[in-house]
Structure formats: C-alpha cells, structure tokens
Amino acid sequence: MEFNIAVMGGDGIGPEVTDQGVRALEAVGRAFGHTFNLSYGDIGGISIDKHGIPFTDDIRAMSGDNDAVLFGAVGGPKWDDPNAAVRPEQGLLDIRSHMGVFANIRPVKVYPWLADASPLKADVLEGVDMVVVRELTGGLYYAEPRGRRQTPGGIIAEDTMRYTEGEIERVLRVGFELARGRRRKLTSVDKANVLECSRLWRAVATRLGEEYPDVDLEHAYVDACAMQLISSPSRFDVIVAENTFGDILTDEASVLAASLGMLPSASLAQVPVEGQPSVGMYEPIHGTAPDIAGRGIANPVGSILSMAMMLRYSLGLTEEAAAVERAVEVTLQNGARTADISSGAATVSTVEMGDAIVGAIGGA
Ligand code: IPM
Ligand code: MN
C-alpha cells in the first residue's frame, strides 16, 4: 500500500531521533512492500528562524494533506526569552489544535531488561503496563483569558482552566474504549476537592462509567495519583487526565520505563477503532534536550515507537506495528543501550540504536 507522511523533526534532538523513526519506517516499507511518501516541514524554533513564526501556512496545509504527521520536538534556549513575541512551543500547540487531536495516548511499558536503569526497585516495576490518555487541546494550554498585565498593585499573570462537558466526555471515552481492550480498569484523574473543572470531569466520568459497566472506574486526585505512580505503578491500567495533569504525570511515569527517551505517543482526533484508521500526530513525549542535541547520543526509541503507533492508528498496519515493537524489544534484550537507559556506559549511539532496530525489522 501507499501512504503520505509529513515529517517534522523540529528542534534540538528532534531531527536526530525522527531520522531514526523514518529509517525504521523505510525498513517496514521494504519488509512489507509498502511505499511511504515523505514530505518534510519546519515547525517550532527552526521555523521561527526561517520564517519568523513557529507555525506557517505550509505546515498547516501539510498537516491536513497527509495520512499522519511524524513529529520530533520543539523549543530550546535560543528562543527562551520570556519577552519574545513568538515561541517554538506555540507551533506545537497550534498544530495539535489545528488537527483537532484531543486525545494523546501515552503507553508506559517497562522492559524487564531495563529495570536496572531505573532508580526504582525492580519489584515495584514488575508487571507495569499502563496507558495514559492525556487531554491535549483544552485546559490551561488554550483557554482565554491568559496573559500578563501591569496593574497599580503590580504585575498580574493569568491562565485559565476551562473545559466543556463535550471535551471531557470525548477524551474519557477514548480511555474507556482502550480499557475494554486491556485489563478493563480506568483511573480518572482530577482535583475535584479544589477545582470546578475537576468536579465536572468527575461527574462526566461517573456518568460515562454507567455506559461501561464492564470497566472498573476509579477516581483519583492528581496528587495521590502522582504518589501511587511511583509507589505502586502496576495497579494502573488506563489513566485519563486533563492536559496539564497528563503532561506532568507522564514525565513522572517515564521514570518507570528508565528514561523519558523511551516513551512514544499518538495524538488522535477520534476514538481509535480497529480497522478504521484516522489522521493523527505521533511524537515522543520527551523534549528537545538541548544539552545533548547534535552529539548523536539521544535515544531514538521514543520516536521509533511513536512511528509504530502511527502504523497502527493512522495507517491500519497492525502487523507492521507489532513487528516494529518486537524489533525494539529484541534490540533492547540484546543489550543495545543509549546513555539514558544504560546503568553503565552507553553501548550504542543514536544511529547505532537505529541500525539495530532497522536490522531487527528486516527487509534489507
Ligand atoms: C509534551 C511537551 C509539550 C507539552 C511542550 C513542549 C509544549 O512537554 O509534549 O509533553 O507541554 O505538551
Ligand atoms: Mn511534556
């Protein structure tokens, strides 16, 4: 089959890791006889440098004209001036919102061979296998009013958390549906003891729970959930959280997987339905890691696993997705370790990790 993919590496280590995602995609093409037509676009800081803005009309068009977007990361110290008129991160927020990808699916899988690279005890990590669904196009990231202004009493800065019932329902539904295909447990995260948005969130979760009597629904306050993620992570199956809570909880959850560099994500504009692929955006959950950018040592696994999620959710290539995931597993089992997942010295560079995974996918 033939597919069109937009590739946007972005800034920092974004392009380096995305290159390996693309190489692994091309290996899938050779092994399974598919053609992937790639078009490359600049977004974030590199777009600010070239065009003065982080999200151009070209990128807007590309995100609509393709079957999926494979994304790296955006941002960096070069564009960090708090008084700057434009920031790279706005490009990411714009593309998410333009594509309407409200559900950000972040699986957290623990590979037993990496247990010694995590600061947590091996027995705490045993049996950890969860998916966090982060709401991606609402809440504090988008709602107005926001901004900073001078008042006679001093500077005031404000952000707004706002959710409609519909926004809450559609993302929770993604969680319930995913739970049905897994261990049928859903943890709905909120701060309903304090926040009005969270009280609505909890009410919607409770109402939806009646539609899914086969799924065991629990409500958890975000602070308690953060603690349990580290103390008893294997108790979680599917977690659903609003935008900011989900952002924070998944960086925390990456410690279970030994490194932020390991975790992939899929951002979708609808509930995933087997056999009905839809347009999506795929990005590792890590940032641009400016401290290691350009050194060839970043971990490309998050990008490669994001590409596998793209095969599954946007291209309907289930078998191919599983082949990529197996290739990652075998490669890790064989001892390939970038610096971030190594308890001793790194055994491979970014490109060598890519080589090993490409080799394991086959199709040379
Ligand atoms: C992520 C990142 C982004 C976010 C930043 C770069 C805007 O942290 O994808 O998790 O907060 O969503
Ligand atoms: Mn984040």
Side-chain angles (χ1 to χ4, degrees):
M1 293 172 76
E2 191 167 337
F3 302 94
N4 300 320
I5 311 296
V7 181
M8 304 177 190
D11 310 316
I13 62 166
E16 302 167 42
V17 297
T18 307
D19 278 351
Q20 303 313 311
V22 167
R23 287 183 65 214
L25 177 67
E26 285 168 341
V28 168
R30 290 191 296 275
F32 292 85
H34 302 302
T35 303
F36 299 108
N37 305 314
L38 307 176
S39 40
Y40 286 82
D42 293 324
I43 188 166
I46 186 169
S47 175
I48 293 178
D49 288 352
K50 289 189 185 172
H51 312 291
I53 48 173
F55 183 70
T56 58
D57 288 343
D58 281 356
I59 291 294
R60 187 190 314 272
M62 265 177 88
S63 65
D65 291 348
N66 287 275
D67 296 306
V69 175
L70 189 61
F71 192 96
V74 293
K78 183 173 174 190
W79 308 279
D80 255 353
D81 176 0
N83 297 314
V86 285
R87 287 192 61 111
E89 290 81 359
Q90 191 56 47
L92 178 53
L93 269 47
D94 286 347
I95 193 172
R96 287 171 176 169
S97 154
H98 174 69
M99 293 181 73
V101 288
F102 63 85
N104 182 220
I105 302 174
R106 300 185 159 188
V108 181
K109 188 175 153 66
V110 169
Y111 297 93
W113 317 287
L114 298 187
D116 60 349
S118 169
L120 297 169
K121 294 194 190 92
D123 62 313
V124 171
L125 297 176
E126 215 174 284
V128 172
D129 181 8
M130 71 181 92
V131 176
V132 181
V133 182
R134 169 188 175 195
E135 200 291 324
L136 201 61
T137 53
L140 285 172
Y141 279 61
Y142 292 94
E144 303 278 347
R146 60 184 286 143
R148 198 201 292 210
R149 63 196 138 89
Q150 184 72 53
T151 73
I155 300 173
I156 292 181
E158 74 185 318
D159 297 282
T160 301
M161 186 186 278
R162 179 185 301 111
Y163 273 105
T164 66
E165 195 177 2
E167 286 173 321
I168 297 170
E169 174 167 342
R170 65 186 182 176
V171 72
L172 276 164
R173 206 172 273 288
V174 171
F176 276 108
E177 292 291 337
L178 288 178
R180 275 199 166 152
R182 297 173 48 92
R183 301 198 307 277
R184 295 177 182 267
K185 180 163 178 200
L186 186 131
T187 305
S188 171
V189 174
D190 62 43
K191 186 74 186 173
N193 47 349
V194 178
L195 301 175
E196 204 52 50
C197 280
S198 284
R199 288 196 266 272
L200 179 60
W201 184 283
R202 189 172 283 219
V204 173
T206 303
R207 169 165 64 71
L208 270 188
E210 287 162 20
E211 257 185 66
Y212 294 88
D214 51 323
V215 175
D216 176 15
L217 166 68
E218 70 170 359
H219 304 278
Y221 291 139
V222 63
D223 47 355
C225 179
M227 184 267 290
Q228 289 180 342
L229 261 181
I230 294 300
S231 61
S232 47
S234 63
R235 65 184 296 292
F236 294 107
D237 180 19
V238 176
I239 295 176
V240 189
E242 69 84 41
N243 205 341
T244 307
F245 294 165
D247 180 43
I248 298 168
L249 291 178
T250 46
D251 264 35
E252 186 193 3
S254 77
V255 177
L256 305 165
S259 163
L260 200 49
M262 291 294 296
L263 299 196
S265 85
S267 304
L268 303 177
Q270 62 168 58
V271 176
V273 182
E274 175 103 28
Q276 284 178 38
S278 67
V279 175
M281 185 178 144
Y282 299 84
E283 53 173 318
I285 84 156
H286 63 68
T288 53
D291 52 324
I292 60 162
R295 290 173 54 196
I297 61 171
N299 186 349
V301 167
S303 175
I304 292 171
L305 290 175
S306 298
M307 182 277 289
M309 295 185 84
M310 173 178 90
L311 297 175
R312 177 172 291 117
Y313 291 124
S314 282
L315 311 186
L317 302 177
T318 314
E319 194 190 327
E320 290 82 342
V324 173
E325 287 158 356
R326 263 198 316 276
V328 168
E329 206 162 315
V330 167
T331 301
L332 294 172
Q333 189 169 12
N334 288 343
R337 299 283 184 276
T338 42
D340 58 315
I341 52 170
S342 155
S343 46
T347 65
V348 294
S349 65
T350 307
V351 173
E352 287 163 350
M353 181 65 100
D355 289 341
I357 294 169
V358 162
I361 293 169

